[in-house]
Amino acid sequence: MKLYYQFPGTWFGDCMPFGKGDDFFLFHQRDNRNPGPFGEPFGWSLATTKDFVHYKDCGTAIPRGADDAQDQFIYAGSVFDGEGQYHAFYTGYNRDYEAQGKASQVLMHAVSDDLYHWTKTEDKLTFTPQPGYDPDDWRDPWVIRDDEHDQYLLILGARKIGPKTQQTGRTVKFTSKDLKNWKFEGDFWAPGLFTMHEMPDLFKMGDWWYHIVTEYSDKHGMVYRMAKSLEGPWIAPVDDAFDGSTYYAGRTFELNGKRVLFGWVGTKEDNDDTKNYEWGGTFVPHEVYQRADGTLGCRPVDTLWDAFNEREPIADVAIDSPHERKETTLVHNAGDLYSFEADVTFGEGTRSFGLRLHKNEEDGKSYQFIFKVGENRYLFEGSPNMPWFTNMNIGVERPIQLEAGKTYHIQVVVDDTIATIYVDGVALNARMYQKPGDDLTMFVTDGSLQITNASVARGIKE
């Protein structure tokens, strides 16, 4: 990768974001895949950035424990500033404990005065899995200040004891006055939808509270709920996601008025388009913003978008094709690091339209983001799909209200094997390994398409 972050020789795992001054701190896991995901235990590493283009490696932040220690692996948690110190609340996981009859996942604690050097407190007794909850699925704490009740609130992902297929996933909560003594307060959100809640997040923006969880038993991705109070009720917007199934385990942090979502785009087994996604991969940020109705949208982080070289304008194009598919090439020799944007408007009765990436002019092979108008959704796929199938794209799609005559603003970032698209706040990431060609085209089926204000920018500024 040339733009998105992935420390050399490792794969980026769950991120625990924090911010101070002008720096975002990315506490995260680095998996060396020896021999595969979760092969060798890991702790937390740290990288910092001001612009999501340039990163400073700060090495290991919290080292893992010994092979027989509770924190053989350091799973996800959160970093919080309170009571005169920085606090890391994290999940200590030992993969051997379950067979020994011990809880394999326990919440643990470390403190720091500078965010770079951490001391483990070994204080884990308060946070042991509570009766009735699965002791091997108890992880990913998130801490906020609850000013209304003059206390700290800690939430984490859990499930009830029972078969792993039962949809008892839930977020549970603890409260504290001092970040030391915690009281278990039961379930925070238990919708009966998922087998497990991972990477919970909780924040307020304007008049709304937002609760995010990552799940792996339905759409394999992130969902959120909205409420006017921490007591709920937690309501679901029509589009309750941020991205598709390629993008996982994101947490947010707000710094200087900008709330960024820190998730990762998974790799695929054997770098093969047709195979399944794996745990861990490459960090990709989204900026999260609030729409007028309170729902959340995603857009490119401005400093990342502005890092590309000077934009090259592309002439306006009108495609009229009432009874067939027509396409036009907008960019030749796009390269492996570029951004593209355009305003598009489709006519009444249009069946579909979209973009093709890595198009090969000779054999017609490409990837595409196709907008299916009657279905109010868009998806990523290989095109043509022969022999079936050329891309494993289950869940690599997003709902979007598609209206004839309305202008949609499309932004695309391509960085090596990752393509990220934003359409009026609806984001989607995908992986591309085969790369049959190097052209970018747009097409319309059984209708008309106006393409205006288009431009491409190749490479990033030095």
Side-chain angles (χ1 to χ4, degrees):
M1 312 309 297
K2 298 179 180 179
L3 176 63
Y4 294 142
Y5 182 71
Q6 185 177 345
F7 187 75
T10 68
W11 285 259
F12 191 98
D14 298 346
C15 187
M16 286 58 65
F18 191 77
K20 180 183 179 184
D22 294 326
D23 288 310
F24 283 95
F25 289 72
L26 284 69
F27 295 92
H28 63 283
Q29 301 152 350
R30 292 177 182 171
D31 194 338
N32 63 12
R33 299 230 172 132
N34 186 15
F38 303 107
E40 292 183 1
F42 46 69
W44 282 8
S45 297
L46 174 62
T48 62
T49 185
K50 297 180 186 294
D51 57 10
F52 297 95
V53 180
H54 306 94
Y55 293 84
K56 180 182 178 182
D57 172 44
C58 303
T60 300
I62 306 179
R64 74 172 186 95
D67 283 343
D68 60 353
Q70 177 69 61
D71 59 352
Q72 177 191 44
F73 287 78
I74 298 186
Y75 273 8
S78 62
V79 175
F80 185 76
D81 182 9
E83 304 297 315
Q85 275 188 311
Y86 297 108
H87 299 260
F89 296 91
Y90 60 91
T91 309
Y93 168 68
N94 190 304
R95 60 184 167 196
D96 305 316
Y97 275 16
E98 185 175 1
Q100 300 171 19
K102 304 178 191 177
S104 65
Q105 297 183 13
V106 171
L107 269 61
M108 303 178 76
H109 181 222
V111 294
S112 174
D113 294 322
D114 62 4
L115 290 169
Y116 298 95
H117 306 89
W118 292 85
T119 302
K120 298 177 183 180
T121 65
E122 305 299 337
D123 177 16
K124 62 183 182 181
L125 300 179
T126 311
F127 298 121
T128 51
Q130 300 294 301
Y133 293 86
D134 191 328
D136 302 309
D137 277 311
W138 183 263
R139 58 182 176 271
D140 307 343
W142 179 261
V143 179
I144 67 164
R145 177 70 188 169
D146 177 8
D147 290 323
E148 183 180 347
H149 299 98
D150 188 30
Q151 63 186 3
Y152 298 101
L153 176 64
L154 182 149
I155 60 172
L156 65 127
R159 56 171 280 109
K160 290 288 192 179
I161 290 177
K164 298 290 189 184
T165 49
Q166 289 183 343
Q167 292 165 316
T168 63
R170 58 201 56 223
T171 308
V172 300
K173 62 180 176 178
F174 289 82
T175 58
S176 174
K177 293 291 186 180
D178 58 8
L179 293 176
K180 294 180 181 178
N181 301 290
W182 294 88
K183 179 184 178 184
F184 183 60
E185 303 277 9
D187 291 341
F188 179 77
W189 183 53
L193 290 171
F194 314 118
T195 63
M196 177 63 185
H197 290 190
E198 291 196 307
M199 298 293 282
D201 188 347
L202 184 64
F203 62 89
K204 192 175 186 183
M205 187 181 288
D207 296 330
W208 289 95
W209 283 96
Y210 299 93
H211 177 39
I212 302 172
V213 299
T214 300
E215 58 81 20
Y216 50 73
S217 60
D218 182 31
K219 297 292 192 296
H220 192 277
M222 301 175 59
V223 299
Y224 76 93
R225 295 294 184 267
M226 312 161 51
K228 288 293 183 72
S229 160
L230 283 172
E231 281 70 47
W234 294 97
I235 61 175
V238 173
D239 177 8
D240 66 349
F242 298 95
D243 204 312
S245 61
T246 306
Y247 191 81
Y248 201 75
R251 285 300 201 20
T252 71
F253 197 89
E254 183 179 357
L255 184 66
N256 301 327
K258 180 189 300 181
R259 184 167 290 275
V260 176
L261 180 60
F262 295 73
W264 48 261
V265 172
T267 51
K268 283 187 172 181
E269 297 167 355
D270 302 320
N271 296 336
D272 186 333
D273 284 337
T274 65
K275 294 189 176 180
N276 282 326
Y277 283 95
E278 301 171 292
W279 185 89
T282 308
F283 166 64
V284 174
H286 292 311
E287 183 179 351
V288 176
Y289 69 94
Q290 187 181 54
R291 300 187 180 99
D293 62 359
T295 62
L296 298 176
C298 289
R299 59 192 174 205
V301 176
D302 55 358
T303 52
L304 183 148
W305 184 262
D306 294 341
F308 282 91
N309 287 319
E310 185 175 352
R311 308 206 67 78
E312 305 167 26
I314 298 170
D316 294 350
V317 179
I319 311 176
D320 189 28
S321 181
H323 305 298
E324 60 184 342
R325 173 171 294 184
K326 287 185 180 178
E327 71 178 299
T328 184
T329 299
L330 299 179
V331 183
H332 290 286
N333 303 316
D336 62 1
L337 178 60
Y338 66 90
S339 65
F340 168 82
E341 69 178 334
D343 291 326
V344 301
T345 309
F346 64 88
E348 198 71 45
T350 297
R351 180 170 176 81
S352 68
F353 66 94
L355 303 88
R356 284 196 170 142
L357 308 178
H358 288 297
K359 172 79 179 290
N360 185 309
E361 280 191 345
E362 293 183 2
D363 62 18
K365 290 182 179 180
S366 71
Y367 302 95
Q368 69 182 18
F369 289 104
I370 182 169
F371 293 76
K372 302 199 170 195
V373 175
E375 300 174 23
N376 285 313
R377 68 183 179 119
Y378 76 87
L379 59 93
F380 176 85
E381 62 184 0
S383 176
N385 263 319
M386 57 176 289
W388 186 260
F389 54 98
T390 61
N391 195 283
M392 204 298 286
N393 70 337
I394 297 172
V396 189
E397 65 175 276
R398 299 285 280 117
I400 185 170
Q401 198 68 31
L402 295 170
E403 302 171 18
K406 178 180 175 181
T407 298
Y408 293 85
H409 186 56
I410 293 176
Q411 292 173 282
V412 176
V413 174
V414 170
D415 181 11
D416 192 19
T417 59
I418 295 178
T420 312
I421 187 171
Y422 302 87
V423 189
D424 287 0
V426 182
L428 183 63
N429 271 284
R431 283 278 183 183
M432 310 172 295
Y433 289 105
Q434 188 179 5
K435 301 179 185 177
D438 204 18
D439 289 351
L440 184 151
T441 74
M442 291 198 72
F443 63 87
V444 65
T445 309
D446 299 348
S448 61
L449 187 69
Q450 302 284 333
I451 305 166
T452 59
N453 303 315
S455 66
V456 65
R458 297 175 172 89
I460 57 175
K461 300 167 187 171
E462 292 298 328

